[in-house]
Amino acid sequence: MFNRIVGALACAAMLAACASNAPESTSGTAATGASGTLRIGVQDGPNTLNPLLSANTTESMIARLSFDLLVTADETGKPVPDLAETVPTQENGGISADGLTITYKLRKGVKWHDGEPFTSKDVKFSYDAVMNTKNNIASRVGYEKVRSIDLPDDSTIVFHLREKFAPFVDTVFGESDDPYCIVPAHLLAKYADINTVPFNSEPIGTGPFRVVKWVRGDHIELAANDGYFQGQPKIHAITVRFIPSENTEINGLRAHEIDWLFQASPNLYRTIKTIDGITPVLVSLNQIERIQINNKRPGLSDLRVRQAINLAIDRNAMVAKFTDGSAISASQDLPPSMWAHDGSLKPAAYDPMKAKALLAAAGYRPGPDGIATNGTTKLSLVLVYNQSNATRQQLAVQVQAYLKAIGIDAQIKTYPSSLAFAPFGMGGIYQTGKFDLNISGWVAGLDPDNHSQYTCAAVPPGGNNYDRFCNAAVDKTEALAIATYPRAERKKLYATIERALSENVPEAWIWNPRQIHAIGKNFKNFKPNPVSEPWNAWQWEI
């Protein structure tokens, strides 16, 4: 991280130095008709450039510049074809009447950045790589529903499911919780696993831009792919710079040395609005900011303790103080913009007196120092967040104060994002459950399916259930919801799920964010969908 003592002029100079490194062109030739270099600022550099190993939104965004899905979505959230020719539905025959067979017709003439043709074999290999237990895959949700795969020809792939799975098209190589892109079989099939292969630093995709250089800890350079199947990109090159200090990010925006500040924290929203030539863009996502509670930790396995934590938090005050109106107090993990959102649920009330009563009922009463104890053990917890996020830093201090007021001692500990959000096999703090409480966000897909977060089988490494929450009734309803195709019926099932989660408090929801991006006046055609910003990167202009 840049030293905070460094002055604004020095920070700006460092940014300018990064900007001077212009990416090389693809295949040694300039992109005819393309112009300009887009400069993107991100808080943390990636661990990998392999899209199947992506473990956070920054890695996923960078991957989507170079790789593609089968199905993506437009800026309204409507599914649109990517490497597939059409979006499979029951109406067009892509999904069978019984919901157990999904057929994709693939685009013809698509080539990898090295010139090799893209075929159905690449999709099959990518699926096999996701299911390979030797690979550090964050989640296999949806993929494990596949019973078998047929490849009638190079332009067709047929998935046969073990059971109905309504979110399949939006989940498997689609805009999901973990949007895995298609990777090349001809480069990766020779490896027993893909965790440490050279490809992870020098990726070859089918996307609108190809990676030219990765200067670890500093920046990534990409150049336009002239032969991109959606059309030639209108931007010649992209530089993604790693700027872990929000002060430095703001200096870069003011000096107009950043054209796009990726996923700015709410802490920056008020400042961004005052910078000349910079426009804040708010994007409604299927996203939640929450206090995750490790349900398996001593004390936290007691529902009354989790309820007390939930009631100790003043959501409305935090939304006003830390987001300047960019977020909405959360009543559930599904945001108001999601069709399955249950409008009858309201955010938990701020009631510290009731919280203290719940702790007392659980056997915890204030000790001489004010910290609740059950006679043998103090209610002392470790509260974790990723250190590069200034808003979470402020939230952690505020949450610490709220919890202290009801007798819970919360000691704050920070980790770099690369460790906090790393996959299970790489010792990720959240995946391996090395926390009592954590303040983190979750960006889900186009579908309300949240079984990868709240079912028993989804406890890592089986999914993204960092809370370690397990409830038989929730599991049963989640199973019904993903096996039901009609939207009206699914909406009722998700209302049941959300009510059950509200009652069981696996985590304390704080707010539903609207993702904040800071955009320079020269950056055109930025139209993020509810999951991914680069879905139309070939149309961007600078």
Side-chain angles (χ1 to χ4, degrees):
M1 178 178 290
F2 292 143
N3 193 314
R4 290 185 180 272
I5 298 175
V6 177
L9 291 177
C11 292
M14 294 174 75
L15 286 167
C18 292
S20 67
N21 294 316
E24 304 164 15
S25 61
T26 57
S27 304
T29 60
T32 306
S35 64
T37 296
L38 176 69
R39 301 159 301 175
I40 305 173
V42 301
Q43 284 190 349
D44 298 285
N47 290 319
T48 180
L49 301 183
N50 186 328
L52 296 188
L53 303 179
S54 296
N56 57 61
T57 54
T58 299
E59 290 180 345
S60 181
M61 182 277 289
I62 294 171
R64 290 294 297 279
L65 296 170
S66 297
F67 293 87
D68 295 292
L69 304 170
L70 289 178
V71 173
T72 180
D74 64 17
E75 64 270 28
T76 70
K78 176 185 176 182
V80 295
D82 202 3
L83 286 170
E85 283 188 342
T86 58
V87 178
T89 65
Q90 288 187 316
E91 289 73 21
N92 65 23
I95 301 176
S96 62
D98 63 4
L100 295 176
T101 301
I102 318 291
T103 301
Y104 292 88
K105 291 293 184 180
L106 305 177
R107 295 182 191 263
K108 299 179 177 66
V110 177
K111 293 186 177 182
W112 295 98
H113 293 157
D114 61 3
E116 290 295 311
F118 158 77
T119 72
S120 57
K121 296 182 181 67
D122 295 307
V123 183
K124 173 63 163 59
F125 168 77
S126 299
Y127 169 82
D128 290 340
V130 170
M131 296 304 295
N132 183 351
T133 56
K134 295 179 180 179
N135 292 331
N136 291 328
I137 301 298
S139 172
R140 295 178 174 86
V141 170
Y143 295 82
E144 87 285 9
K145 303 293 184 183
V146 175
R147 174 173 54 82
S148 63
I149 296 175
D150 292 333
L151 303 179
D153 54 56
D154 283 350
S155 298
T156 308
I157 184 166
V158 182
F159 292 90
H160 300 284
L161 308 187
R162 302 178 190 279
E163 57 195 27
K164 293 180 181 180
F165 186 62
F168 188 90
V169 173
D170 288 331
T171 301
V172 174
F173 302 119
E175 298 285 14
S176 69
D177 291 8
D178 297 288
Y180 298 134
C181 299
I182 307 300
V183 296
H186 71 281
L187 294 177
L188 295 174
K190 60 186 177 183
Y191 299 107
D193 68 72
I194 60 173
N195 298 324
T196 59
V197 299
F199 180 91
N200 299 350
S201 299
E202 302 172 351
I204 297 294
T206 55
F209 295 90
R210 61 167 293 175
V211 173
V212 173
K213 183 186 296 184
W214 180 8
V215 181
R216 291 178 182 270
D218 193 85
H219 70 281
I220 293 173
E221 301 173 7
L222 303 98
N225 171 17
D226 295 358
Y228 184 55
F229 63 89
Q230 297 270 36
Q232 180 183 305
K234 296 181 179 180
I235 291 176
H236 173 63
I238 294 177
T239 300
V240 181
R241 286 185 249 155
F242 318 142
I243 310 171
S245 164
E246 289 194 336
N247 289 334
T248 309
E249 289 178 319
I250 288 297
N251 289 331
L253 287 173
R254 288 193 173 116
H256 299 289
E257 291 163 343
I258 300 173
D259 303 302
W260 169 23
L261 179 54
F262 173 74
Q263 293 189 349
S265 77
N267 183 64
L268 296 182
Y269 184 51
R270 182 179 288 108
T271 301
I272 288 170
K273 291 189 292 184
T274 68
I275 300 175
D276 184 51
I278 299 296
T279 300
V281 176
L282 297 179
V283 182
S284 293
L285 306 176
N286 185 0
Q287 184 175 2
I288 186 69
E289 190 78 9
R290 71 272 177 95
I291 302 168
Q292 291 203 288
I293 303 172
N294 190 333
N295 289 216
K296 295 300 183 184
R297 292 289 202 191
L300 297 177
S301 60
D302 191 316
L303 172 60
R304 293 165 296 187
V305 175
R306 301 198 302 273
Q307 289 173 325
I309 292 171
N310 201 31
L311 293 173
I313 307 302
D314 189 342
R315 288 156 179 79
N316 291 337
M318 290 195 290
V319 167
K321 182 176 181 180
F322 299 123
T323 81
D324 196 35
S326 66
I328 302 167
S329 294
S331 62
Q332 57 205 277
D333 62 301
L334 300 178
S337 59
M338 168 60 67
W339 57 263
H341 176 85
D342 182 0
S344 69
L345 292 176
K346 304 301 177 186
Y350 173 52
D351 194 339
M353 294 303 294
K354 185 174 180 180
K356 289 180 180 180
L358 284 164
L359 290 181
Y364 291 94
R365 297 183 183 280
D369 58 358
I371 303 303
T373 177
N374 61 6
T376 58
T377 305
K378 286 185 176 183
L379 200 47
S380 183
L381 307 173
V382 176
L383 173 63
V384 173
Y385 70 91
N386 58 308
Q387 63 192 26
S388 62
N389 191 299
T391 299
R392 287 178 189 154
Q393 178 184 24
Q394 294 176 325
L395 275 177
V397 173
Q398 183 67 72
V399 169
Q400 182 184 50
Y402 283 142
L403 295 181
K404 184 176 182 180
I406 66 167
I408 296 178
D409 173 42
Q411 296 299 314
I412 296 173
K413 188 172 184 178
T414 66
Y415 292 95
S417 296
S418 58
L419 178 56
F421 298 108
F424 188 90
M426 295 176 67
I429 299 301
Y430 300 158
Q431 281 267 337
T432 56
K434 296 175 182 175
F435 66 91
D436 293 317
L437 309 172
N438 79 60
I439 297 177
S440 61
W442 183 256
V443 183
L446 294 176
D447 194 272
D449 173 29
N450 55 10
H451 86 278
S452 75
Q453 298 174 69
Y454 302 117
T455 57
C456 303
V459 171
N464 303 303
N465 185 352
Y466 304 158
D467 301 315
R468 274 72 184 165
F469 170 71
C470 184
N471 181 281
V474 170
D475 273 19
K476 182 178 180 180
T477 312
E478 289 276 16
L480 288 172
I482 60 177
T484 302
Y485 285 85
R487 178 171 287 191
E489 294 179 33
R490 290 190 78 203
K491 182 175 175 64
K492 293 177 182 178
L493 291 168
Y494 282 108
T496 299
I497 290 168
E498 294 305 313
R499 286 194 295 271
L501 293 176
S502 295
E503 292 166 0
N504 286 278
V505 197
E507 57 194 26
W509 301 308
I510 304 175
W511 62 58
N512 294 118
R514 285 179 292 177
Q515 191 59 68
I516 304 166
H517 299 279
I519 301 299
K521 62 182 178 181
N522 295 325
F523 184 18
K524 309 296 183 184
N525 293 329
F526 180 71
K527 301 176 181 179
N529 71 29
V531 180
S532 172
E533 296 82 10
W535 75 275
N536 71 326
W538 78 96
Q539 296 176 326
W540 292 347
E541 296 181 60
I542 191 73

